[in-house]
């Protein structure tokens, strides 16, 4: 039984790992204002990303790192509202799509239509699908086909540092 628990933990640990290091070359127009959180986009320079994001956010959103499982702010967070990209503010997931997958990261069964883009990821010897913000290109996590069958069957395994929660207005 202990072996099974260790194997499951290791699988969960590796299932969302995305340590692929790619260098992204971007350009910035001369008329662009200094970047602030909420204004980052696909054309923002890496230097500006570093000025605006925390080190951990930069590692995840730009370098495709993965936060440690069971440590993220939103792993066990289930308030009503919307989860937006931590870099640019693009709405990504509604709280109605969030579910407890017990994988160690916030999980959603669907993204807001048009809010994310997908890219095949074969890093670490695995075939996965990377999920990125459609507005700024920030790495959010990966999507898997082991989500709730009663909804979409998908599990968007998302790093807490790549998202921010915006609570629903009080009635």
């Amino acid at each position: 039984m202990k072996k099974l628990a260790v194997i499951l933990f290791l699988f969960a640990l590796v299932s969302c790992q995305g340590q692929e290091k790619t260098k992204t070359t971007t350009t910035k127009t001369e008329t662009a204002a200094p970047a602030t959180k909420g204004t980052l986009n696909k054309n923002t320079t890496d230097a500006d990303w570093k000025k605006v994001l925390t080190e951990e956010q930069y590692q995840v959103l730009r370098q495709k790192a993965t936060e440690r499982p069971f440590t993220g702010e939103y792993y066990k967070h289930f308030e009503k509202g919307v989860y937006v990209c931590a870099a640019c503010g693009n709405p990504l997931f509604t709280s109605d799509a969030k579910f407890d997958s017990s994988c160690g990261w916030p999980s959603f069964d669907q993204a807001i239509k048009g809010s994310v883009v997908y890219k095949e990821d074969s890093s670490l010897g695995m075939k996965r699908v990377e999920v990125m913000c459609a507005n700024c290109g920030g790495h959010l996590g990966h999507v898997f086909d082991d989500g709730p069958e009663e909804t979409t069957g998908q599990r968007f395994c998302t790093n807490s540092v790549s998202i921010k929660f915006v609570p629903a207005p009080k009635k």
Side-chain angles (χ1 to χ4, degrees):
M1 193 63 159
K2 284 185 180 180
K3 285 184 182 179
L4 179 59
V6 169
I7 290 170
L8 289 174
F9 176 76
L10 291 175
F11 176 75
L13 181 63
V14 173
S15 69
C16 285
Q17 294 291 314
Q19 299 295 330
E20 176 184 337
K21 304 288 184 187
T22 56
K23 185 173 182 179
T24 304
T25 304
T26 58
T27 59
K28 183 176 172 183
T29 61
E30 288 182 34
T31 59
T36 59
K37 230 176 225 187
T39 64
L40 299 175
N41 60 52
K42 293 176 184 174
N43 296 320
T44 304
T45 65
D46 274 346
D48 278 345
W49 279 84
K50 284 182 178 182
K51 288 177 190 171
V52 174
L53 302 176
T54 67
E55 179 61 30
E56 186 177 21
Q57 286 175 320
Y58 180 81
Q59 289 299 317
V60 170
L61 287 158
R62 300 303 296 161
Q63 300 297 311
K64 303 177 188 294
T66 300
E67 67 190 2
R68 289 187 349 262
F70 308 102
T71 63
E73 177 180 2
Y74 301 118
Y75 169 57
K76 291 287 188 182
H77 183 264
F78 291 98
E79 292 179 39
K80 291 289 183 191
V82 176
Y83 295 84
V84 301
C85 177
C88 71
N90 182 32
L92 303 167
F93 306 102
T94 66
S95 58
D96 292 337
K98 193 166 190 308
F99 67 98
D100 185 0
S101 69
S102 300
C103 74
W105 292 273
S107 297
F108 304 88
D109 66 2
Q110 63 185 322
I112 295 172
K113 187 174 179 142
S115 66
V116 300
V117 293
Y118 307 92
K119 179 182 173 191
E120 190 173 305
D121 177 5
S122 58
S123 64
L124 301 175
M126 297 183 285
K127 274 194 114 162
R128 302 175 293 174
V129 176
E130 179 185 4
V131 179
M132 298 168 291
C133 174
N135 184 57
C136 69
H139 172 79
L140 304 171
H142 292 87
V143 63
F144 301 96
D145 290 326
D146 60 0
E149 290 182 21
E150 61 275 5
T151 59
T152 65
Q154 294 186 312
R155 174 174 56 95
F156 286 78
C157 186
T158 309
N159 291 284
S160 283
V161 298
S162 68
I163 57 178
K164 287 290 175 201
F165 178 72
V166 179
K170 301 280 184 200
K171 291 184 180 182

